[in-house]
């Protein structure tokens, strides 16, 4: 029987392989067939990874990773930040669906990160930029700020899950908008 460490490594390989296919693709490669829909209807979902992604319309996790129906458990919110509701969704995927891997997927040219860098956000947007600003401090470089934000969210998720005695591999990644390449942050 595979250990949990081996399961997350298999999941990470599937994400990396899917991204490599995406880099050469002209259309989405995931299985969205009637058979796949019927299979998940009858058997439920068993995603191999949770992706916490920005809601930016240029960031399509299922396409970026060549995934289809039932493959990924995706949570999308501006700036790929989490709150108790998002953490609860992650906890569900890990404890009820046995998903072994959580990836916080930030991206270059993120409007939420840029808004945190520039300041001045108002309304409910300010709650997003305030959280990002805590993660990035005085960083003004887009890429560096994005990476700091991703690392901060990955740590926050790990800490929240450990308090609930839920374990999984949690890591960050950066999606490069211009090339489509996903850079995994393994530290």
């Amino acid at each position: 029987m595979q250990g949990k460490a081996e399961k997350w490594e298999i999941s990470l390989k599937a994400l990396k392989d899917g991204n490599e296919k995406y880099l050469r693709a002209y259309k989405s490669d995931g299985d969205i067939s009637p058979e796949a829909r019927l299979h998940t209807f009858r058997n439920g979902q068993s995603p191999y990874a949770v992706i916490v992604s920005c809601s930016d319309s240029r960031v399509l996790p299922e396409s970026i990773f060549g995934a289809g129906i039932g493959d990924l458990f995706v949570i999308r919110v501006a700036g790929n930040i989490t709150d108790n509701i998002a953490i609860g969704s992650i906890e569900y995927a890990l404890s009820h669906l046995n998903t072994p891997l959580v990836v916080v997927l930030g991206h270059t040219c993120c409007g939420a990160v840029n808004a945190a860098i520039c300041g001045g956000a108002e309304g409910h947007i300010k709650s997003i930029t305030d959280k990002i600003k805590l993660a990035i401090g005085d960083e003004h470089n887009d890429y560096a700020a994005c990476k700091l934000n991703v690392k901060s969210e990955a740590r926050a998720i790990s800490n929240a899950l450990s308090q609930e005695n839920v374990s999984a591999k949690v890591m960050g990644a950066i999606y490069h908008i211009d090339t489509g390449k996903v850079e995994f942050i393994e530290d």
Side-chain angles (χ1 to χ4, degrees):
M1 183 168 172
Q2 294 176 331
K4 199 150 188 140
E6 292 169 339
K7 276 184 83 175
W8 77 258
E9 290 169 345
I10 292 166
S11 297
L12 180 59
K13 181 173 178 359
L15 292 174
K16 288 180 176 181
D17 290 349
N19 184 240
E20 284 299 318
K21 289 179 187 175
Y22 169 74
L23 293 175
R24 297 180 302 278
Y26 286 89
K27 60 182 182 175
S28 197
D29 195 37
D31 185 357
I32 58 168
S33 67
E35 294 81 12
R37 289 192 299 273
L38 188 57
H39 176 79
T40 57
F41 169 73
R42 289 183 177 151
N43 302 300
Q45 60 179 317
S46 55
Y48 59 83
V50 174
I51 307 295
V52 179
S53 170
C54 185
S55 53
D56 189 301
S57 64
R58 300 168 292 176
V59 181
L60 308 166
E62 289 85 357
S63 294
I64 290 167
F65 295 116
I69 294 172
D71 291 337
L72 300 177
F73 194 91
V74 179
I75 301 161
R76 295 181 65 158
V77 64
N80 44 271
I81 63 166
T82 57
D83 59 11
N84 286 338
I85 294 169
I87 297 293
S89 296
I90 295 166
E91 186 179 337
Y92 170 79
L94 302 179
S95 62
H96 293 281
L97 303 175
N98 298 312
T99 308
L101 176 64
V102 179
V103 175
V104 178
L105 181 64
H107 66 92
T108 57
C109 303
C110 180
V113 171
N114 187 51
I117 290 170
C118 295
E122 296 179 4
H124 294 288
I125 298 169
K126 189 171 180 344
S127 64
I128 297 167
T129 58
D130 284 353
K131 187 166 186 194
I132 295 171
K133 187 66 177 168
L134 286 174
I136 68 171
D138 293 329
E139 183 60 62
H140 282 81
N141 175 277
D142 171 71
Y143 172 78
C146 176
K147 194 169 185 178
L148 287 170
N149 186 49
V150 164
K151 286 181 172 186
S152 176
E153 284 304 313
R155 276 191 308 274
I157 291 167
S158 289
N159 291 339
L161 294 175
S162 69
Q163 290 175 7
E164 298 300 321
N165 293 316
V166 176
S167 66
K169 175 69 174 176
V170 180
M171 64 187 330
I174 307 289
Y175 173 66
H176 292 267
I177 294 275
D178 58 340
T179 65
K181 181 75 176 161
V182 175
E183 170 192 352
F184 289 89
I185 303 166
E186 301 179 57
D187 61 359

